[in-house]
């Protein structure tokens, strides 16, 4: 168990050094989430262009990531955070399950990239702290079974474009104000 955590931490730190943002920078600089949305769209498009992507032999379970903006806004940050973590954990598991079933090079490359991106957000959000304590796996998000690989990419794009973007936008209102805490966070930029 400890070795797995060490490997995840190492992977996370290496991923951070490859140009991905830290929590404060990602929340406070709207351009970064827009970059991740574009990357999600690009991955979805490239996966759609892979030739001969067969249906999966075994279904994967994907989170239902649709949201009602009015309901979303009424939830506290911690609830939103936990919901997104549950969605990401299920999505990362689905990508891993699909990776074991795809042998075509283009599909394998795209799924590998998707796994890295989704896992990056999962690890990043786990670094956020709330008064209630750390997040623990074991949640049961709303889900659906799928056999189409493109559905996995669609789900990821919708998650980044929806819940993640709105979550970071809401956090930015609280965290990225000038003069907060006697000084301005050097990572935060006003919009």
């Amino acid at each position: 168990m400890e070795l797995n955590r060490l490997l995840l931490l190492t992977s996370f730190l290496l991923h951070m050094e490859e140009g991905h943002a830290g929590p404060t920078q990602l929340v406070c600089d709207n351009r970064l989430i827009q970059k991740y949305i574009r990357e999600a769209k690009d991955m979805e498009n490239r996966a759609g262009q892979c030739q001969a992507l067969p249906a999966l032999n075994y279904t994967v379970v994907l989170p239902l990531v649709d949201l009602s903006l009015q309901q979303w806004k009424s939830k506290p940050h911690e609830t939103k955070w936990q919901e997104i973590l549950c969605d990401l954990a299920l999505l990362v598991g689905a990508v891993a399950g699909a990776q074991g079933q795809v042998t075509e090079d283009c599909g394998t490359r795209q799924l590998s990239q998707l796994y890295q991106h989704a896992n990056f957000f999962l690890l990043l959000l786990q670094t956020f702290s709330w008064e209630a304590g750390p997040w623990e796996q074991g949640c049961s998000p709303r889900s659906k079974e799928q056999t189409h690989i493109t559905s996995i990419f669609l789900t990821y794009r919708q998650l980044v474009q929806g819940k993640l973007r709105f979550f970071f936008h809401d956090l930015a209102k609280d965290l990225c104000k000038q003069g907060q805490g006697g000084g301005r966070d050097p990572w935060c930029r006003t919009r």
Side-chain angles (χ1 to χ4, degrees):
M1 184 68 165
E2 283 301 315
L3 181 59
N4 287 340
R5 289 183 184 190
L6 181 60
L7 289 172
L8 278 175
L9 177 62
T10 303
S11 172
F12 174 68
L13 293 173
L14 289 173
H15 205 64
M16 291 286 288
E17 290 175 9
E18 292 174 358
H20 289 283
T24 307
Q25 186 180 9
L26 182 57
V27 169
C28 296
D29 189 347
N30 188 46
R31 295 172 299 175
L32 288 172
I33 192 64
Q34 295 303 323
K35 173 186 177 255
Y36 292 123
I37 291 170
R38 282 190 307 275
E39 288 176 353
K41 288 178 181 178
D42 289 344
M43 281 190 292
E44 183 181 14
N45 288 336
R46 285 192 304 269
Q49 293 171 359
C50 291
Q51 294 181 1
L53 272 181
L56 298 170
N57 294 327
Y58 306 101
T59 59
V60 292
V61 180
L62 294 173
L64 293 173
V65 295
D66 58 321
L67 66 106
S68 158
L69 196 53
Q70 185 176 359
Q71 286 178 346
W72 183 256
K73 287 182 176 184
S74 68
K75 295 178 182 181
H77 291 326
E78 182 181 359
T79 302
K80 294 174 188 176
W81 172 68
Q82 289 175 337
E83 188 174 317
I84 293 168
L85 280 171
C86 288
D87 290 344
L88 282 167
L90 193 58
L91 182 63
V92 166
V95 174
Q99 283 178 308
Q101 299 181 55
V102 175
T103 57
E104 189 267 330
D105 284 344
C106 180
T108 303
R109 263 192 321 275
Q110 296 311 313
L111 283 169
S112 177
Q113 185 179 19
L114 177 59
Y115 182 86
Q116 290 174 354
H117 283 248
N119 200 44
F120 162 75
F121 278 117
L122 180 62
L123 293 172
L124 178 74
L125 288 175
Q126 287 176 1
T127 67
F128 286 32
S129 61
W130 302 96
E131 290 178 14
W135 174 76
E136 294 181 18
Q137 283 186 302
C139 50
S140 300
R142 296 178 311 124
S143 61
K144 62 183 174 188
E145 293 184 354
Q146 280 290 335
T147 58
H148 300 287
I149 295 171
T150 53
S151 297
I152 301 170
F153 290 89
L154 172 65
T155 300
Y156 175 72
R157 180 186 51 82
Q158 290 174 333
L159 180 60
V160 173
Q161 202 168 9
K163 290 181 180 180
L164 272 170
R165 180 178 59 136
F166 290 123
F167 177 64
F168 290 146
H169 177 75
D170 292 344
L171 286 179
K173 291 177 190 175
D174 297 336
L175 299 175
C176 307
K177 297 174 184 172
Q178 271 189 318
Q180 182 182 12
R184 188 169 165 230
D185 188 325
W187 289 107
C188 291
R189 296 186 181 130
T190 56
R191 284 178 263 176

